[in-house]
Amino acid sequence: MTHAATVGGERFRFADLRELMAKATPERSGDQLAGLAAGSARERVAARQALADLPLATFVQQALVPYEDDAVTRLIIDGHDARAHAPVAHLTVGGLRDWLLSDAADAATLAALAPGLTPEMVAAVSKLMRNQDLIAVAARCRVVTRFRNTLGLAGHLAVRLQPNHPTDSPAGILASVLDGLMYGAGDAVIGINPAADSLPELTRLLHLLDELLQRHAIPTQACVLTHVSNTLQAIERGAPVDLVFQSIAGTEAANRGFGIDLALLDEAHAAALAQQRGSLGDNVMYFETGQGSALSAGAHHGVDQQTLEARAYAVARRYRPLLVNTVVGFIGPEYLYDGKQIIRAGLEDHFCGKLLGLPMGCDICYTNHAEADQDDMDNLLVLLATAGVNFVMGVPGADDVMLNYQSTSFHDALFVRRLLGLKRAPEFEAWLQRMGITGADGRLQPPTAAPALAASLARLLPGVAL
């Protein structure tokens, strides 16, 4: 179906829904690389004008990636909840934007609507929104999940403690963990990206983290971020697995490039549930995504990268995850060129994920060859915290020495929590107070607990001084 609009006396035509969606997208280098972007600002405005008039029903009737060719499309279409969608079924994309910004779209209404929205619908409406619109709507969406603590409550912000080390040194990892805990970080998860990928090494790291959590009765969860097939093998060998991690994408072909399909994720989800390691809940999955992943795998089907990112959230939604993390600037400037594009993408991803009912976090990050710096990350951190993001990263010094990229630090998380009066997960906050790390007001205390924690960590590593 052809779509058209006139702007400034010039008539623009868009051959199909994929072209319309792509050309309505805010400027970004990935869509330019793929040859999908609007050729001018005027063409982009025309595409948005035509998109605003498009009935939402179009996205149920027309698949951007063919149903018969793609498991993610089948998941989206077959899982669409028409009853939940009914309150907005009569609207256009522009009408949905207006409704979302109205007082009618409160937290309870948005939560009830989530199963009735498809990723393509939320991607489309995001293309019509200013940054402040994305923030305003996302801030009303609360998605609460539980494993050993409670994440996503209003007025709270969690932090993933990311103690990566270039050689997986236990001493280096535990030193970073201690640093993070003393800053009050780690309530989302203590999650290691391992440098090595052998099963014995992964199992060693899993035991290291489990002993740490058990010894100190820390009410959080641990994760070694390896391929899901490795985690399944670790579970089979009796390793202490809290969360199953996997990177996911928005097309079947891109997920195949990651070495996964829905059947494998189903198996992993069932295996993790069978462990019954969560004391408060059974949200056992941790997914990471990022705009540009399908394009980088040559699996984008001519669809813009932001829409494909939203489609990845349909995969995540199937498994009721504890955490979903858009690693927004990690792939590089080929896909998000500069700070402005990274900031916009982070706000889009958070908005789309929250509207679809996901517990969205963000790795607010950039690579060293991008046209971005830490000031851009400060801006995005404050914007996302205002928008109600569930969690962010805590990396020592904001510089990941293993993955070689720039993120946010323990101090950054402390800053934004203080600035906006945001709390940690309640169970984790209570533990920090028992340990003397924070006071009753949630503020850090003088490091009186540090010697006790350090001594206990050293006992995990006989002969290693921390």
Side-chain angles (χ1 to χ4, degrees):
M1 177 187 296
T2 301
H3 308 272
T6 300
V7 174
E10 185 176 0
R11 187 73 168 168
F12 293 92
R13 296 185 182 277
F14 308 98
D16 54 25
L17 186 55
R18 285 184 299 182
E19 183 180 6
L20 179 65
M21 291 278 281
K23 293 193 172 181
T25 305
E27 182 178 7
R28 64 204 53 197
S29 51
D31 292 337
Q32 292 167 341
L33 178 66
L36 303 176
S40 66
R42 182 174 289 185
E43 185 179 25
R44 187 173 296 111
V45 169
R48 289 176 181 171
Q49 181 175 307
L51 183 61
D53 292 336
L54 195 71
L56 289 179
T58 306
F59 295 102
V60 179
Q61 299 160 358
Q62 298 181 34
L64 295 178
V65 182
Y67 180 94
E68 60 275 11
D69 297 338
D70 187 83
V72 178
T73 299
R74 293 192 290 275
L75 175 65
I76 292 167
I77 298 300
D78 295 347
H80 182 238
D81 188 332
R83 184 185 297 272
H85 179 64
V88 297
H90 62 289
L91 296 176
T92 62
V93 176
L96 177 61
R97 174 191 177 276
D98 294 343
W99 180 83
L100 288 171
L101 291 169
S102 75
D103 292 338
D106 58 20
T109 302
L110 291 173
L113 177 64
L117 296 174
T118 70
E120 291 85 353
M121 291 175 191
V122 300
V125 75
S126 75
K127 298 175 194 295
L128 305 182
M129 291 182 140
R130 294 170 56 186
N131 287 1
Q132 69 171 248
D133 299 337
L134 299 174
I135 294 167
V137 176
R140 300 178 192 168
C141 300
R142 304 312 314 176
V143 183
V144 177
T145 56
R146 294 178 176 87
F147 189 76
R148 291 200 187 99
N149 57 26
T150 305
L151 302 173
L153 296 170
H156 290 66
L157 173 67
V159 178
R160 171 188 159 190
L161 202 169
Q162 184 170 305
N164 296 343
H165 192 277
T167 64
D168 291 335
S169 161
I173 288 170
L174 290 177
S176 293
V177 170
L178 175 61
D179 188 24
L181 291 174
M182 295 306 297
Y183 271 101
D187 45 349
V189 63
I190 301 177
I192 301 172
N193 298 93
D197 213 29
S198 69
L199 195 58
E201 179 66 15
L202 299 172
T203 301
R204 179 181 68 82
L205 293 176
L206 286 165
H207 280 287
L208 179 72
L209 293 179
D210 184 61
E211 188 171 352
L212 170 70
L213 266 58
Q214 296 298 327
R215 180 184 291 265
H216 294 287
I218 306 175
T220 190
Q221 34 284 328
C223 186
V224 176
L225 282 69
T226 185
H227 192 270
V228 63
S229 59
N230 290 332
T231 304
L232 275 170
Q233 291 183 66
I235 290 174
E236 290 168 0
R237 297 189 182 191
V241 172
D242 290 345
L243 306 182
V244 173
F245 167 82
Q246 183 56 48
S247 295
I248 56 174
T251 69
E252 178 181 355
N255 284 319
R256 193 182 307 123
F258 284 140
I260 61 168
D261 56 22
L262 296 180
L264 181 59
L265 294 178
D266 287 348
E267 181 184 356
H269 185 229
L273 287 174
Q275 302 305 297
Q276 297 184 331
R277 292 177 58 83
S279 56
L280 292 184
D282 63 354
N283 301 117
V284 295
M285 304 297 281
Y286 175 14
F287 294 116
E288 287 192 345
T289 66
Q291 287 193 28
S293 59
L295 175 58
S296 68
H300 64 292
H301 296 273
V303 179
D304 68 272
Q305 66 182 40
Q306 187 257 333
T307 299
L308 290 179
E309 170 72 5
R311 282 170 53 94
Y313 303 155
V315 178
R317 185 164 63 173
R318 175 180 176 90
Y319 301 101
R320 302 184 301 108
L322 182 77
L323 308 164
V324 179
N325 179 33
T326 169
V327 192
V328 66
F330 185 76
I331 303 182
E334 298 84 359
Y335 305 95
L336 294 170
Y337 179 72
D338 58 13
K340 181 176 182 178
Q341 292 188 15
I342 291 170
I343 289 169
R344 173 70 190 190
L347 295 176
E348 289 169 346
D349 295 350
H350 178 250
F351 165 88
C352 289
K354 281 291 184 64
L355 269 188
L356 292 169
L358 288 176
M360 291 300 297
C362 185
D363 190 342
I364 299 165
C365 63
Y366 64 102
T367 58
N368 287 309
H369 63 311
E371 291 294 321
D373 59 26
Q374 212 64 35
D375 286 338
D376 296 312
M377 302 306 104
D378 288 347
N379 293 343
L380 182 53
L381 174 63
V382 174
L383 293 173
L384 282 172
T386 304
V389 71
N390 278 33
F391 68 99
V392 296
M393 298 298 110
V395 177
D399 182 3
D400 193 300
V401 295
M402 194 279 283
L403 292 175
N404 195 29
Y405 79 115
Q406 309 304 312
S407 184
T408 49
S409 69
F410 307 135
H411 186 270
D412 295 331
L414 185 64
F415 148 74
V416 80
R417 278 171 165 164
R418 285 182 175 177
L419 178 71
L420 300 177
L422 300 171
K423 301 177 181 179
R424 301 170 183 90
E427 301 84 0
F428 189 78
E429 187 72 78
W431 177 83
L432 291 173
Q433 292 177 17
R434 289 196 300 272
M435 296 297 293
I437 297 173
T438 63
D441 60 358
R443 288 184 172 269
L444 294 183
Q445 299 297 295
T448 53
L453 275 176
S456 185
L457 288 172
R459 285 196 294 272
L460 295 175
L461 295 163
V464 176
L466 293 180

